[in-house]
Amino acid sequence: LVLVLLTAPAEPASPVATPARAGWAEFRRELRRSRRSGRPMTLLRTRDAVTPESTQAVDDLDDRSRGLHDHLRLVDRTWVDDGSVYILLPETSRAAADSLVSRLVTVAPELLPGEIRLATFPDDGLTSGALISAVHGASLSEVPTPIRAAVADDEPVVLGEVVEAPLPERAAR
């Protein structure tokens, strides 16, 4: 008995736009995976100067999110939330994310208009809150500044100051 199965060639899989709730869940899963493996990941956020309030503006953001997929890997995810398009780039360092942004701005500037910010694990934060804060940067009413413009490449970044303080004494029992 010989069984022959004939099928049409499959279309190459392409990333799909993810609903916001699923996008944030995927972000948290990827962050846990990156912590375990010690591998980098990048969260990128792009936002227009004006917050979309009309249905057409929201549809435009969804279209932009879907349009980004032609330029991303299968493992990358995009979603729209609160007037911003977010892009999750697993296994992506800051240098690779910077290169992707440069390429997208050159090849398809209509997909990334306005403010672009990115945060990389572990460089910009170790927690989801730290990474989200990094991509939101200054309040949206302030003029955005590029993330890398604030510090020269050869300058050390000081995240905090270590202060020595005496430990409290425990009462004897």
Side-chain angles (χ1 to χ4, degrees), residues 38-50:
R39 304 293 306 218
M41 66 164 258
T42 298
L43 179 65
L44 187 141
R45 174 180 169 254
T46 179
R47 182 179 182 94
D48 290 343
V50 179

Side-chain angles (χ1 to χ4, degrees), residues 5-142:
L5 180 61
L6 300 174
T7 63
E11 300 246 344
S14 64
V16 286
T18 307
R21 179 180 233 164
W24 290 116
E26 183 71 25
F27 165 71
R28 287 188 296 276
R29 275 193 299 278
E30 181 59 29
L31 180 58
R32 284 192 299 271
R33 193 192 68 74
S34 292
R35 284 185 190 141
R36 284 191 311 270
S37 68
R39 304 293 306 218
M41 66 164 258
T42 298
L43 179 65
L44 187 141
R45 174 180 169 254
T46 179
R47 182 179 182 94
D48 290 343
V50 179
T51 302
E53 296 177 7
S54 69
T55 304
Q56 179 61 40
V58 172
D59 289 344
D60 289 346
L61 284 175
D62 287 336
D63 290 344
R64 187 179 315 150
S65 177
R66 282 189 291 277
L68 284 164
H69 293 293
D70 293 338
H71 305 281
L72 299 175
R73 303 168 300 177
L74 290 175
V75 297
D76 299 335
R77 293 289 174 256
T78 66
W79 66 95
V80 175
D81 191 16
D82 195 29
S84 295
V85 175
Y86 292 89
I87 305 170
L88 177 63
L89 304 169
E91 302 274 335
T92 305
S93 66
R94 175 170 300 282
D98 285 342
S99 174
L100 172 68
V101 169
S102 296
R103 183 170 51 87
L104 286 174
V105 167
T106 303
V107 174
E110 70 281 0
L111 295 176
L112 294 177
E115 175 185 6
I116 302 169
R117 293 183 182 269
L118 59 90
T120 303
F121 170 87
D123 300 342
D124 298 313
L126 302 176
T127 65
S128 59
L131 294 171
I132 292 167
S133 292
V135 294
H136 282 269
S139 72
L140 295 175
S141 62
E142 295 179 28

